[in-house]
Amino acid sequence: ELEKPSFCDLKVVNNTEHYVAFKVKTTSPKKYFVRPNTGVVQPWDSSVIRVTLQAPREYPPDMQCKDKFLLQSTIVPPNTDVDDLPADTFNKESTKEIQECKLKVFYVTPSSRGNSEDEGFKSYSDQAPDSNSAVQQLKDERDAAVRQTLQLQQELDFLKRRRHRRNDTGFSLKFALIVGLIGIMVGLLLNFSFSSSLSSPAAVPTVETTTS
C-alpha cells in the first residue's frame, strides 16, 4: 500500500542437533528493514525474521520487483550467542560450510493479498525451471522435520510418565519406611511399659498365726 509500510515474516527452522547461525542480506538495504538480520537458532528450534518494506510513494511499473534476499546459515559451537559470533562467521573463504538460500521479492496489491502466495509461487515457477524439484525437496525436508518433532514429543511424554512413576514409587517407599519406623517405636514403647510393670515391687500378703 502507498504511504504505508508492508512486512513479511520469514520462519527459519533448525531441524538439526547443532546450533546454527544465520544472516540475512538484501540487494536493496535502504528499502528494507530486517530484524533480526543475524541470529543463532538452537537445535530443534526456530526463529522468526520480519522483513519490513518502507512506505512507498508510488507503485513500481507493472508491480515488478528485482530485489532479492540471501539467507546464509552455518553450524556454530554449542551455546554460542549472537554477540559471540566472529566477524568471519559467514565468510565463504573460511573452512566452514556455508549454506545459502536465495529469495525473490514479489509485490502484490492489497486486493489480491489473499492469493499472494499462489501468485508468488506461480511467478517463481515460471522463472525457475528447477523450482518444482526444489519445492518438492523443501516439502520433504519439512515433513521429515515434522516427523522428528513428533518423535521427540513422544519421547518427552514417555520420559515424563516414567519420571512420574518413579516419583510415585519413591513416595510409596517413603510412606512404608515411615509406617515401619512408627511401628518399631510403638513396639519399643509397649515393651518398655511392660518391662516397667514387671520390675515394680508388688504387695506381699502377711499371714498372722495365733497360738492358743
Side-chain angles (χ1 to χ4, degrees):
E1 297 182 49
L2 296 180
E3 304 297 334
K4 184 178 179 180
S6 302
F7 67 90
C8 178
D9 289 337
L10 306 177
K11 186 176 182 179
V12 181
V13 179
N14 179 12
N15 55 1
T16 70
E17 58 183 6
H18 306 285
Y19 278 69
V20 175
F22 69 85
K23 185 174 184 179
V24 182
K25 299 180 180 179
T26 178
T27 56
S28 303
K30 294 182 179 181
K31 293 172 56 177
Y32 300 96
F33 185 75
V34 183
R35 286 296 179 272
N37 60 353
T38 306
V40 177
V41 185
Q42 298 181 8
W44 312 108
D45 201 355
S46 61
S47 178
V48 177
I49 305 171
R50 171 154 294 190
V51 179
T52 303
L53 171 66
Q54 298 185 18
R57 297 182 179 180
E58 59 182 8
Y59 288 115
D62 299 329
M63 292 294 290
Q64 299 297 319
C65 181
K66 296 182 179 180
D67 299 336
K68 297 179 181 178
F69 282 84
L70 177 65
L71 176 62
Q72 295 178 311
S73 61
T74 183
I75 297 176
V76 293
N79 301 321
T80 299
D81 191 75
V82 62
D83 297 330
D84 301 331
L85 294 176
D88 60 343
T89 301
F90 302 96
N91 188 357
K92 293 183 179 180
E93 297 179 358
S94 62
T95 58
K96 295 182 179 180
E97 180 181 358
I98 307 296
Q99 295 186 359
E100 296 182 345
C101 178
K102 297 181 180 179
L103 303 173
K104 293 184 178 181
V105 178
F106 294 92
Y107 288 154
V108 294
T109 59
S111 59
S112 60
R113 182 174 298 176
N115 300 326
S116 60
E117 294 184 358
D118 296 336
E119 292 178 358
F121 175 74
K122 181 178 179 181
S123 301
Y124 184 76
S125 300
D126 295 339
Q127 297 179 11
D130 298 334
S131 61
N132 292 331
S133 59
V135 170
Q136 185 62 37
Q137 182 179 359
L138 290 176
K139 288 183 178 180
D140 294 340
E141 293 179 356
R142 180 197 61 185
D143 295 339
V146 171
R147 289 193 298 269
Q148 291 176 351
T149 302
L150 292 176
Q151 182 178 0
L152 289 175
Q153 184 64 35
Q154 293 176 356
E155 293 179 357
L156 181 60
D157 295 338
F158 174 75
L159 291 176
K160 288 182 178 179
R161 291 194 298 268
R162 186 176 180 181
R163 182 179 180 183
H164 182 70
R165 288 197 298 267
R166 287 183 177 178
N167 292 337
D168 293 342
T169 304
F171 175 78
S172 300
L173 292 177
K174 291 180 179 178
F175 183 76
L177 289 175
I178 293 174
V179 172
L181 289 176
I182 293 176
I184 293 174
M185 293 176 63
V186 171
L188 291 176
L189 290 175
L190 292 176
N191 189 18
F192 178 76
S193 300
F194 183 73
S195 300
S196 299
S197 61
L198 291 179
S199 59
S200 59
V204 179
T206 59
V207 178
E208 296 182 357
T209 57
T210 57
T211 57
S212 55

